Amino acid sequence: MSKVEDFLTKEEESAIVEAIRVAEKNTSGEIRVHIEATTSLDAYDRAMEVFHELNMDATELQNGVLIYLAVADKTFVICGDKGINDVVTPDFWNCTRDAMISQFKVGNYKQGLIDGILNAGEQLKKHFPWQEGDTNELSNEISKG
């Protein structure tokens, strides 16, 4: 599967956007998903580039999380902003990554993303709980490259 358009159905995309909405109900953190076919860069470097392109580094508490996928390359990266990285342990995202990998290995990409998003929301809630007046600073829609 090398084309972004073939990676998820419209229904699967809607379910993923709903998972983002649910995950963000408990945290002030902002979660985005970006999907593209391939990258000529190192996946982490490309994820950081997308992070900045999506203005994820402009959130008030610097608590944005990007789940970046390059589908033809069969790679993904989870990266968080400075506010998150300043307060969490180095292995903070491992359980999110592992939940996603177990689903990806059997071809359940939608469920892998949903599991990762919900897990990220739970993890973020510990350090960045939702508070009265929090606003959704970033779109929940999946971006594509």
Side-chain angles (χ1 to χ4, degrees):
M1 183 173 325
S2 59
K3 289 177 33 186
V4 172
E5 302 80 37
D6 299 334
F7 187 64
L8 298 168
T9 67
K10 288 286 180 212
E11 294 78 18
E12 289 172 328
E13 284 190 23
S14 293
I16 290 164
V17 170
E18 176 62 12
I20 293 171
R21 190 189 68 73
V22 168
E24 289 182 353
K25 278 176 36 179
N26 297 314
T27 178
S28 62
E30 295 289 334
I31 302 169
R32 296 286 319 258
V33 173
H34 180 82
I35 301 171
E36 57 190 22
T38 187
T39 178
S40 58
L41 301 174
D42 171 79
Y44 179 80
D45 292 342
R46 177 61 183 143
M48 291 309 299
E49 205 175 75
V50 170
F51 194 92
H52 297 294
E53 287 171 8
L54 295 175
N55 293 319
M56 295 190 66
D57 50 357
T59 62
E60 184 180 350
L61 297 176
Q62 296 180 308
N63 59 355
V65 175
L66 175 66
I67 299 175
Y68 166 85
L69 291 90
V71 296
D73 301 341
K74 294 188 164 108
T75 189
F76 74 98
V77 174
I78 305 166
C79 53
D81 204 353
K82 182 182 184 326
I84 297 170
N85 294 334
D86 284 350
V87 297
V88 301
T89 60
D91 62 349
F92 182 71
W93 296 112
N94 291 353
C95 60
T96 301
R97 178 200 63 210
D98 295 347
M100 293 175 67
I101 287 174
S102 67
Q103 292 291 341
F104 286 177
K105 282 184 177 176
V106 293
N108 293 335
Y109 302 109
K110 175 195 86 164
Q111 195 57 52
L113 283 165
I114 289 173
D115 290 355
I117 290 162
L118 295 177
N119 192 301
E122 282 299 309
Q123 297 297 318
L124 286 171
K125 181 170 73 171
K126 297 172 188 170
H127 298 280
F128 299 96
W130 187 89
Q131 297 178 16
E132 193 65 41
D134 278 346
T135 59
N136 190 9
E137 297 178 76
L138 299 172
S139 169
N140 294 343
E141 295 301 311
I142 297 171
S143 64
K144 297 177 183 171

